[in-house]
Amino acid sequence: MTATTGETVKVEAPSTLAEGYTFDATVNGKVIKVSVPPGGVKEGEMFDAPIVTAVADEGALATPLLDAASKDVAAAKAVSGAWRHGLFECFDTCGNGVFWMACCCPLIAMGQLLQRLKMNFMGEPKGSYKNTCMIWTVLMAVLVVIESIDSALNYVKDTPSDSVFTYAELTATDYLFGIISLIIIIFSLVALTRARFFMREKWGIPADCCEGSGCLSDCCCAYWCGCCATIQMMRHTHDETQDRYACGSKTGLSDDAVDVV
């Protein structure tokens, strides 16, 4: 059980948290580990959090924040212990470019996230990451071209509308396009799963399901809710009220945004 110092500090809950949950908050340029008081808190609620321990200067944050002097200390955001936003709160960003990028060009959005985390195109935090977004942009373009050509070829086929489909109707081109598309999709699932598992491990975020099963929860989110998961991860790394989404950037952020890792 975590012991507190007896002192409290006013912070804003990053999400709905249960009693006793601990996380890091920044106050006066210091990273303070605080605990959720009895009764728990709801997302966005300002509350007096018991201080567990002061762990380091702000520079030691896993996700650096902007200078404390430029922020309201009373509204210090926690960056560890929970996602800033829920998985299905992605719909809050309908008027934001990040929502449409993740929905219409999911591989590009994922590429921006991976490059922001300094990961290579397969979601590994090692090796070269400078061209990660470019690689996934090219793969997104390949998928679009393949689907367009395949649709056009199938449209001109002289097949009666009442005929029953059989695999014998598939051409070598259909199989080739299908294999290429499948490979790209599998690669994207692996990359997003790795990135999500990396973020949860780095910032102490509990699994959404299948607790204790390693990256199974992350794989489920990547497979069933890929767009929502990508948006949630992109919104977690930075305070979106301070760092707006930039669709034309390789990281989805402006050049002066604070580095994540």
Side-chain angles (χ1 to χ4, degrees), residues 148-176:
S148 299
I149 295 176
D150 193 46
S151 297
L153 292 176
N154 287 325
Y155 179 78
V156 299
K157 283 181 179 178
D158 185 19
T159 303
S161 58
D162 60 347
S163 64
V164 178
F165 171 79
T166 64
Y167 284 101
E169 298 174 14
L170 294 175
T171 65
T173 302
D174 291 324
Y175 282 111
L176 176 62

Side-chain angles (χ1 to χ4, degrees), residues 42 66 75 136 152 157 164 182 255:
K42 295 183 178 180
L66 298 177
W136 280 110
K157 283 181 179 178
V164 178
L182 181 61
D255 294 337

Side-chain angles (χ1 to χ4, degrees), residues 97-124 129 131-140 143 183-196 199 218 221-223 225-234 237 245 247 249-252:
V98 67
F99 178 88
W100 299 106
M101 180 65 82
C103 290
C104 301
C105 303
L107 300 189
I108 298 178
M110 185 184 69
Q112 291 176 326
L113 172 65
L114 294 178
Q115 187 149 336
R116 186 185 303 184
L117 296 171
K118 293 183 171 58
M119 293 180 159
N120 64 21
F121 85 103
M122 284 303 294
E124 297 176 308
Y129 65 90
N131 296 316
T132 295
C133 183
M134 179 59 70
I135 292 173
W136 280 110
T137 299
V138 171
L139 292 176
M140 183 78 227
L143 274 183
I183 291 174
I184 293 176
I185 291 172
I186 291 175
F187 277 10
S188 68
L189 288 175
V190 171
L192 188 59
T193 297
R194 283 177 167 176
R196 191 174 180 84
M199 289 181 67
D218 309 295
C221 288
Y223 183 79
C225 311
C227 294
C228 294
T230 300
I231 294 173
Q232 181 189 43
M233 294 160 71
M234 295 184 80
T237 62
Y245 177 70
C247 64
S249 166
K250 291 182 178 180
T251 61

Side-chain angles (χ1 to χ4, degrees), residues 4 69 102 112 146 195:
T4 63
Q112 291 176 326
I146 284 177

